[in-house]
Amino acid sequence: NMLPIFNPAIVYERLYEENLLLVVPKGHRYYRPDQGSKITEFPLDKQNLSGEKFILTKQGYGSLRRLTDEIFYHYSIKPSILLETTNLENAYRLANSGVGLTFIPEVLLKNNLPSQSNYYTIGKPPVKYSVVVAYKKGEALSAPALAFLNMAKENYKAIYD
């Protein structure tokens, strides 16, 4: 739904889009054992997340933090930010171990060992995390850059279509 940033002087080529997921670890009051790791929509009012402990990426660290801040703002959620990190996988591992909640792009589930956490989408339609290649408008791409862009589009199309 949202690009990582927007600048009219830049051309954005979307490689893929995926769900942004809320990770709720086993033992948390919102954990549902019957759900397992199946991805579903968060079943409660989003404002119930106010006051919950969150592990987030640092401010200014890519589009993920901007998206999580947008979710907090849109749903009037006042999180208790326990920890900020530059490493998304660390945030994910800490959440899985019960330290707090976090948001991750869905691709992290494909690249990590299964956990016993619950995974929830937020919003209707769900908030999406976009991965793009960006370059300056009006400038021709070099042959290697164009080859990379086309290869990346084909590879991600094969994975996400």
Side-chain angles (χ1 to χ4, degrees):
N1 301 40
M2 292 185 223
L3 287 173
I5 57 172
F6 179 75
N7 182 327
I10 295 177
V11 174
Y12 299 92
E13 301 262 357
R14 181 173 281 136
L15 295 180
Y16 67 93
E17 200 175 61
E18 62 186 343
N19 289 322
L20 186 65
L21 303 175
L22 173 67
V23 179
V24 176
K26 185 177 182 178
H28 188 275
R29 65 185 173 143
Y30 296 143
Y31 179 79
R32 295 176 22 197
D34 57 315
Q35 179 181 323
S37 59
K38 182 179 140 197
I39 298 169
T40 62
E41 183 185 350
F42 187 67
L44 305 171
D45 185 319
K46 306 331 175 251
Q47 287 184 340
N48 286 352
L49 295 172
S50 280
E52 292 295 330
K53 294 177 185 171
F54 275 88
I55 303 151
L56 301 174
T57 53
K58 286 188 176 186
Q59 286 280 356
Y61 182 74
S63 60
L64 182 62
R65 178 57 186 264
R66 189 180 71 76
L67 282 174
T68 57
D69 288 347
E70 289 281 333
I71 290 168
F72 295 149
Y73 176 79
H74 182 76
Y75 292 105
S76 300
I77 298 167
K78 306 279 188 266
S80 172
I81 300 173
L82 185 65
L83 175 72
E84 292 180 307
T85 180
T86 58
N87 188 306
L88 185 55
E89 291 211 17
N90 282 346
Y92 179 56
R93 288 185 181 117
L94 286 167
N96 279 331
S97 68
V99 173
L101 308 178
T102 196
F103 285 98
I104 62 166
E106 194 170 352
V107 71
L108 246 61
L109 296 184
K110 297 174 183 155
N111 295 335
N112 282 281
L113 295 173
S115 75
Q116 293 185 347
S117 294
N118 291 156
Y119 301 100
Y120 297 105
T121 58
I122 300 289
K124 283 187 180 180
V127 173
K128 299 285 186 181
Y129 181 78
S130 297
V131 175
V132 301
V133 172
Y135 53 91
K136 193 172 179 180
K137 191 180 278 185
E139 288 191 10
L141 292 177
S142 67
L146 194 53
F148 170 78
L149 178 60
N150 289 331
M151 179 187 68
K153 283 179 169 179
E154 287 303 313
N155 284 339
Y156 285 112
K157 184 178 180 182
I159 294 169
Y160 288 96
D161 278 351

